[in-house]
Amino acid sequence: KTVEGFYRDGQIQLSELPQDISNTQVLVTFLDPDKIDPVKLRQLIEQLETIAGIQQGFEEVNRGQTRPMGNFIQEMQHLK
């Protein structure tokens, strides 16, 4: 999960609170605003999250954790 934020005075302020996350390790990347295209960055983040979701799906299938197709379709419609 990727969440945008700002670093100010030694503090990181997130633009939103991540859902379903309470205690986990994070990586913080400091971006140079003069070299980053925010639209392109958002597209890359979305692509990475898609790949991570596909990988998670493969892992679930390999563990035998599957669900009915109707549930999957509802979840995909909810993400739009």
Side-chain angles (χ1 to χ4, degrees):
K1 174 75 178 156
T2 301
V3 177
E4 293 181 58
F6 292 94
Y7 175 80
R8 236 179 250 126
D9 301 322
Q11 299 285 320
I12 297 173
Q13 300 171 342
L14 301 177
S15 59
E16 63 182 272
L17 292 179
Q19 299 294 320
D20 303 323
I21 297 176
S22 59
N23 240 353
T24 189
Q25 182 178 4
V26 299
L27 299 174
V28 178
T29 303
F30 293 92
L31 305 173
D32 184 343
D34 296 329
K35 296 180 181 177
I36 298 296
D37 176 355
V39 173
K40 192 171 206 170
L41 178 62
R42 174 54 53 197
Q43 290 171 342
L44 291 171
I45 290 169
E46 289 173 1
Q47 289 173 358
L48 290 172
E49 289 177 344
T50 299
I51 291 168
I54 291 169
Q55 288 174 331
Q56 179 181 350
F58 282 136
E59 291 169 4
E60 290 172 358
V61 167
N62 288 336
R63 289 191 305 262
Q65 297 174 319
T66 59
R67 57 189 178 271
M69 183 60 83
N71 293 4
F72 172 76
I73 291 170
Q74 285 180 336
E75 288 176 24
M76 292 299 104
Q77 290 172 342
H78 176 71
L79 293 176
K80 289 183 180 181

